[in-house]
Amino acid sequence: MNIELFSKNLKDIAGDLEVVFVFEKKLNELEDKDVLKKIGFKGEDEEVVLLAGLAKLYVGCEKTELDSFRIAASCAIRKVQSTNYKSMKLLAKNCKYGFSALLDGLMLGAYSYDRYKSKKPENKDIKINISCVGDIKEYEEKLKEKEIICKNVNMVRDIANTPPQDYFPQTMADDAKKIAKENKNITCKILEEDYLKANSMNAMLAVGKASIHRSKLIHLSYKPKNAKIKIALVGKGVTYDSGGLSLKPGSSMVSMKSDKSGGSAVMGIVKSVAELGLAVEIHGVVGAVENMIGGDAYKPDDVLIAKNGTSIEVQNTDAEGRLVLCDCLCYIQDELKEFDYIFDYATLTGACVVGLGEYTSGLMGHNEELKLQVLKDASFSGENATPLHFNRFLQKTLKSDIADICNISSTRYGGSITAGCFLDKFIYEKNKNKWVHFDIAGPAFTDKSWGYNPSGATGAGLRMSVEFIKNLVK
Ligand code: BES
Ligand code: ZN
Ligand code: ZN
């Protein structure tokens, strides 16, 4: 996508089509109101009409809300992509709000995952000329920032969308190395199974045992000299979740290539923070593992000793994400020792999708203020998130008769919270208030398109986290 900004009037800039957003169904204020009414255009959400003779594209946007505008912008770009027009022009009046949302809608809405299509879509690269009202410098800066963020959301989407035969722990490690190669300020360390064994990361190791692909721990770091804050991120990079011996039913297995969404979000966040040049030291750890079946598979009844010495009775091999994360959480806390925040991202529980729906992430942790701040930033960034609260009763349901803890709860209810409670056992006492757990199982991947997300991976987690981190140092 090629976006160019102008401080000239809209009528003085080039563009095959002029895009006009119609807010709050206010048709009467429009130059072409008569013809629009005649053809039945009402200005509803996601309503788009192309008046070819006038070279205009009218797009409805019922509410003056950021997310409505993002959706309207994505409808506009998708419509133009479906024609043979090569360029469009439009007006931007408000840099912080309208223009930002416009860029999200355009760049995220234009995405499609075409790698496996033998016939690629023809009109993907639309030239977009924008007439900006106000200080053009501000707009240019915002464009630079949004280009970084949206490009990385699209990278995260690409990773999560890639089928499991072509994406396994080694591929994820290669992508992490590529991120570091392309940005000299990022370093990448890949730790192999011998390291995991030597460091008693037996929970993570168990999950990947039956796979033909060896597990990897990926550690990306960005350490600018002027860093004011230090952040630790951990992501679930299960490149395929078959459920293991507690095998998923066939229909639930479909889309489990997206179980690497948390890990890919972590890679995208570190990359974004580095490219934005934020004064933040950030570490991203991804447990890249494939959960498969086979003679060597870990079993329900196994007892695993995690990195911090906690013994875990396995009762369900499909609750594998928490086994990967618990060792990675210990690793990053041991490795970094001191930091300001520790966040983890995972498509952890089906219960989160059931409870919150497909569009919302569940946030857990002990620090109410911190969660509130993340929620506020999530909302501004265009991501839906809501808090899920721990409680003493659910916390106790992870008891095991023979080990310190069980990998599933004794109750079938509250599965997202009990998964969060499991992770909590691996957050060291001094770090409790620095921790937020993001269960992104709902929004990370959808089988039907919604808003400006085409069907498939959405890149969930990245935008809300980058917004939070940006605000820490601004
Ligand atoms: N990867 C799944 C969770 C998931 C389900 C993500 C649906 C996205 C959509 C996770 O590993 C899993 O299978 N969790 C189990 C836990 C259960 C066995 C306690 C689940 O949610 O059923
Ligand atoms: Zn699972
Ligand atoms: Zn999983």
Side-chain angles (χ1 to χ4, degrees):
M1 182 170 295
N2 178 355
I3 299 178
E4 202 175 332
L5 306 180
F6 297 86
S7 45
K8 290 194 253 177
N9 286 334
L10 188 62
K11 66 173 174 29
D12 299 324
I13 64 177
D16 293 346
L17 282 176
E18 178 187 334
V19 179
V20 185
F21 293 101
V22 182
F23 294 100
E24 296 168 341
K25 299 191 181 175
K26 287 182 184 152
L27 260 69
N28 281 332
E29 296 169 7
L30 303 171
E31 196 183 332
D32 301 311
K33 58 179 180 294
D34 295 335
V35 59
L36 288 170
K37 282 181 186 166
K38 204 170 273 173
I39 60 174
F41 179 82
K42 296 190 187 65
E44 287 173 356
D45 278 340
E46 302 188 37
E47 196 183 355
V48 185
V49 58
L50 174 61
L51 301 180
L54 300 170
K56 279 188 183 165
L57 184 73
Y58 279 94
V59 186
C61 182
E62 284 176 45
K63 288 190 183 142
T64 39
E65 283 174 0
L66 294 180
D67 235 28
S68 308
F69 195 38
R70 288 185 184 101
I71 295 170
S74 82
C75 290
I77 186 77
R78 284 181 196 165
K79 178 70 193 176
V80 180
Q81 284 177 324
S82 75
T83 67
N84 291 315
Y85 289 97
K86 298 288 172 220
S87 65
M88 60 197 244
K89 63 173 179 177
L90 44 91
L91 183 68
K93 291 189 207 154
N94 178 312
C95 184
K96 185 169 176 210
Y97 298 100
F99 180 63
S100 298
L102 173 76
L103 295 176
D104 285 338
L106 293 173
M107 292 189 266
L108 300 175
Y111 174 87
S112 60
Y113 184 67
D114 308 320
R115 180 168 160 187
Y116 294 87
K117 294 268 187 208
S118 55
K119 203 166 166 282
K120 311 282 181 214
E122 276 164 16
N123 203 19
K124 270 195 83 174
D125 259 339
I126 309 290
K127 171 85 195 323
I128 302 171
N129 295 328
I130 305 180
S131 158
C132 305
V133 179
D135 182 4
I136 189 96
K137 286 254 154 16
E138 254 181 65
Y139 285 85
E140 279 163 356
E141 255 165 52
K142 184 52 81 181
L143 174 61
K144 245 191 250 160
E145 175 195 309
K146 286 287 178 183
E147 274 177 336
I148 289 172
I149 295 171
C150 295
K151 179 192 69 194
N152 290 331
V153 169
N154 289 338
M155 177 200 79
V156 175
R157 286 168 160 184
D158 275 343
I159 294 176
N161 277 326
T162 306
Q165 93 271 25
D166 286 335
Y167 211 100
F168 32 87
Q170 182 65 59
T171 331
M172 206 155 193
D174 290 343
D175 270 347
K177 283 190 264 182
K178 192 165 147 235
I179 288 171
K181 201 172 163 201
E182 284 169 0
N183 188 323
K184 61 176 175 28
N185 299 317
I186 300 177
T187 54
C188 174
K189 191 158 70 176
I190 307 295
L191 300 172
E192 307 288 343
E193 287 190 350
D194 52 356
Y195 176 94
L196 305 179
K197 273 186 201 125
N199 288 276
S200 317
M201 298 177 72
N202 302 304
M204 171 170 167
L205 270 171
V207 175
K209 257 172 77 188
S211 171
I212 59 161
H213 302 292
R214 301 298 17 105
S215 302
K216 315 267 170 193
L217 186 146
I218 298 164
H219 183 164
L220 284 170
S221 327
Y222 170 67
K223 298 190 203 182
K225 288 201 181 70
N226 61 344
K228 295 189 199 133
I229 284 168
K230 191 164 164 182
I231 301 178
L233 308 178
V234 171
K236 171 177 175 182
V238 173
T239 58
Y240 197 68
D241 182 11
S242 69
L245 288 180
S246 314
L247 196 64
K248 285 183 183 294
S251 61
S252 310
M253 217 183 284
V254 177
S255 83
M256 278 303 133
K257 64 175 183 179
S258 66
D259 221 17
K260 52 180 149 31
S261 295
S264 37
V266 163
M267 303 208 302
I269 297 167
V270 174
K271 186 167 182 278
S272 301
V273 168
E275 289 176 357
L276 292 168
L278 301 180
V280 172
E281 176 174 335
I282 187 161
H283 295 260
V285 165
V286 179
V289 176
E290 193 185 51
N291 187 20
M292 297 298 284
I293 55 172
D296 196 28
Y298 82 122
K299 309 166 199 60
D301 281 354
D302 279 348
V303 173
L304 313 171
I305 313 293
K307 188 174 192 298
N308 68 347
T310 301
S311 61
I312 307 166
E313 179 187 355
V314 176
Q315 284 196 357
N316 191 316
T317 62
D318 197 14
E320 85 299 340
R322 59 198 79 182
L323 298 174
V324 175
L325 289 174
C326 72
D327 273 340
C328 289
L329 284 167
C330 292
Y331 165 85
I332 204 163
Q333 292 173 97
D334 293 342
E335 198 70 10
L336 303 186
K337 296 188 177 73
E338 293 298 327
F339 46 80
D340 300 291
Y341 299 98
I342 176 163
F343 295 166
D344 75 78
Y345 303 80
T347 45
L348 202 61
T349 62
C352 204
V353 198
V354 174
L356 305 182
E358 301 144 273
Y359 311 115
T360 305
S361 296
L363 265 52
M364 283 155 260
H366 302 284
N367 184 335
E368 297 303 324
E369 219 177 291
L370 173 59
K371 276 187 289 178
L372 274 180
Q373 187 56 48
V374 178
L375 289 171
K376 202 166 133 256
D377 295 329
S379 159
F380 186 73
S381 77
E383 289 203 62
N384 301 323
T386 196
L388 294 172
H389 298 285
F390 295 147
N391 67 67
R392 66 177 76 234
F393 306 106
L394 286 175
Q395 259 152 353
K396 294 210 167 91
T397 64
L398 292 160
K399 281 208 174 104
S400 161
D401 289 339
I402 63 159
D404 300 337
I405 182 179
C406 197
N407 85 323
I408 58 168
S409 157
S410 56
T411 166
R412 42 198 281 251
Y413 304 114
S416 307
I417 296 175
T418 51
C421 291
F422 179 94
L423 298 179
D424 181 33
K425 310 261 185 210
F426 299 86
I427 302 295
Y428 304 165
E429 215 46 54
K430 63 175 178 133
N431 297 327
K432 293 281 186 203
N433 275 323
K434 303 174 182 172
W435 175 55
V436 179
H437 159 54
F438 295 73
D439 193 333
I440 57 170
F445 193 92
T446 50
D447 48 14
K448 50 187 185 300
S449 74
W450 53 285
Y452 41 89
N453 292 300
S455 64
T458 66
L462 187 147
R463 285 185 297 148
M464 58 176 149
S465 307
V466 172
E467 183 63 28
F468 171 83
I469 298 168
K470 249 176 32 181
N471 287 335
L472 287 177
V473 287
K474 93 170 174 209

